[in-house]
Amino acid sequence: MKAKQTKKLARWRKNIRRHIKLAVVPHGANQYRPHLIRRYGIAAVLIAIIAIQAGYNLTSTGTILGDEAVVTPTALLVDTNNERSKQQLKPLKIDDRLSQAAFLKAQDMFQKQYWAHNAPDGTTPWQWFGQAGYNYAYAGENLAKNYTTAESAVAAWMASPQHRANIMNDHYTDAGFAVVDGILNGENATLVVALYGAPSSEIAAGAAKVSGVTQVAQPVGLVTQLGIAIQALSPAILGGLVLILVMTIVALFAHAYRSKLPKRLRQSWYRHHGLVKAGGLLGIGFIILVLQIGGQI
């Protein structure tokens, strides 16, 4: 009985190895066209990638399209402190007064319909510190709009010298975050307000130090945006891109064996099918990356 099971297991393993070889290795049995990069193979992998991403979106954001933001104050604090720890800086702690001040600032932007550090009527971010009862010796503000994850928002701040300076400011001890949804300039928007500070009960009026404030949102270049998108890739997207990379390598490997294709195939476009499919797969990967771009600081 045991010998029979052993033989059955051996046959099963042999079949698995044979199917893997047919899928990824160009050789005579598959006419030097690995099944993974044939039309049905590519279609099956792309369907699997879409299904996995849809499942991930559904479990993480509650929608199949994943268009709901999952930015939370806790995640923003964790990612901010992770960046600070890389420079051996002390972690920031949440101060409820700063979180309240950040919420007031976000509400003001929606009410007055602006996207800037200073309001059209001249109101500065520091007014909200005072309204929340936070007397500061040092203070700073970062803004972000329409990022769907905390990782991507913090990555965008780290890509900007002024915003990075706030995250890395060694004077700050406290932070407050607000993530608020609303309508801004006729469009749905998710605003993230981050306030940083160091308290002082004895600071003289007008003597406080403020930093990291710009009057308008800063544009982020395409290359930088791609870098931010890569840093904030979800496990599902990252897995999909790895699969596409594997398929691209298989396609290039198959192209190297194009001279061994059956004669009827060498006389058609199939002679360069490996190169064509490698280029197409790389294009799909690039499009996936571009689709991850979003948000503004």
Side-chain angles (χ1 to χ4, degrees), residues 29-44:
N30 58 20
Q31 295 187 317
Y32 296 93
R33 291 188 297 137
H35 293 180
L36 186 65
I37 60 168
R38 293 192 183 190
R39 290 168 185 166
Y40 55 81
I42 294 175

Side-chain angles (χ1 to χ4, degrees), residues 34 120 139 161 191 224-225 228 236 285 290-291 293 297:
L191 301 185
T224 301
Q225 290 187 59
I228 293 168
V290 170
L291 291 175
I293 293 176
I297 56 174

Side-chain angles (χ1 to χ4, degrees), residues 1-295:
M1 185 68 178
K2 187 176 181 180
K4 186 176 181 180
Q5 289 178 341
T6 301
K7 288 182 179 179
K8 186 176 181 180
L9 181 61
R11 286 197 301 270
W12 181 77
R13 289 176 176 173
K14 184 177 180 180
N15 283 333
I16 292 295
R17 287 195 295 268
R18 181 173 65 84
H19 285 298
I20 291 175
K21 186 176 180 180
L22 286 170
V24 301
V25 179
H27 62 292
N30 58 20
Q31 295 187 317
Y32 296 93
R33 291 188 297 137
H35 293 180
L36 186 65
I37 60 168
R38 293 192 183 190
R39 290 168 185 166
Y40 55 81
I42 294 175
V45 170
L46 292 180
I47 290 172
I49 290 173
I50 293 172
I52 292 171
Q53 181 60 38
Y56 178 85
N57 290 340
L58 188 62
T59 56
S60 60
T61 70
T63 66
I64 291 179
L65 295 178
D67 52 357
E68 295 292 330
V70 289
V71 184
T72 65
T74 299
L76 288 165
L77 180 67
V78 169
D79 291 326
T80 295
N81 282 334
N82 284 342
E83 296 295 341
R84 287 175 66 88
S85 68
K86 295 175 185 178
Q87 300 298 322
Q88 290 76 51
L89 296 174
K90 291 182 179 179
L92 302 177
K93 63 181 185 298
I94 287 289
D95 186 287
D96 291 338
R97 294 167 297 177
L98 288 183
S99 293
Q100 176 62 17
F103 177 77
L104 292 173
K105 171 59 182 289
Q107 289 289 85
D108 190 64
M109 285 192 286
F110 279 124
Q111 290 170 4
K112 298 176 182 175
Q113 291 293 290
Y114 70 96
W115 167 244
H117 291 284
N118 289 356
D121 61 7
T123 300
T124 69
W126 325 124
Q127 173 174 314
W128 312 115
F129 282 73
Q131 285 196 18
Y134 188 92
N135 296 316
Y136 57 88
Y138 294 89
E141 177 188 69
N142 279 351
L143 300 177
K145 179 174 67 173
N146 291 341
Y147 285 97
T148 57
T149 65
E151 294 88 347
S152 57
V154 173
W157 287 335
M158 291 298 292
S160 162
Q162 288 180 304
H163 295 81
R164 177 189 173 92
N166 265 339
I167 291 176
M168 294 300 180
N169 192 315
D170 60 356
H171 291 297
Y172 299 147
T173 58
D174 304 322
F177 302 99
V179 183
V180 184
D181 295 322
I183 304 296
L184 186 65
N185 298 323
E187 298 181 353
N188 291 326
T190 298
L191 301 185
V192 178
V193 179
L195 298 181
Y196 313 93
S200 175
S201 58
E202 300 177 357
I203 193 71
K209 304 289 186 179
V210 297
S211 64
V213 177
T214 53
Q215 297 300 315
V216 296
Q218 293 186 335
V220 180
L222 178 60
V223 174
T224 301
Q225 290 187 59
L226 284 173
I228 293 168
I230 291 171
Q231 293 181 57
L233 287 176
S234 71
I237 290 291
L238 185 59
L241 289 175
V242 169
L243 276 175
I244 289 174
L245 178 61
V246 169
M247 293 170 70
T248 302
I249 293 172
V250 171
L252 291 174
F253 194 44
H255 182 68
Y257 283 82
R258 62 191 181 278
S259 62
K260 294 187 177 183
L261 287 168
K263 185 177 180 180
R264 63 183 178 80
L265 295 180
R266 290 200 308 269
Q267 295 174 345
S268 69
W269 77 273
Y270 282 102
R271 176 174 176 77
H272 299 290
H273 78 103
L275 192 61
V276 171
K277 290 175 180 177
L281 288 164
L282 287 175
I284 291 172
F286 181 75
I287 290 171
I288 290 174
L289 274 180
V290 170
L291 291 175
Q292 305 309 304
I293 293 176

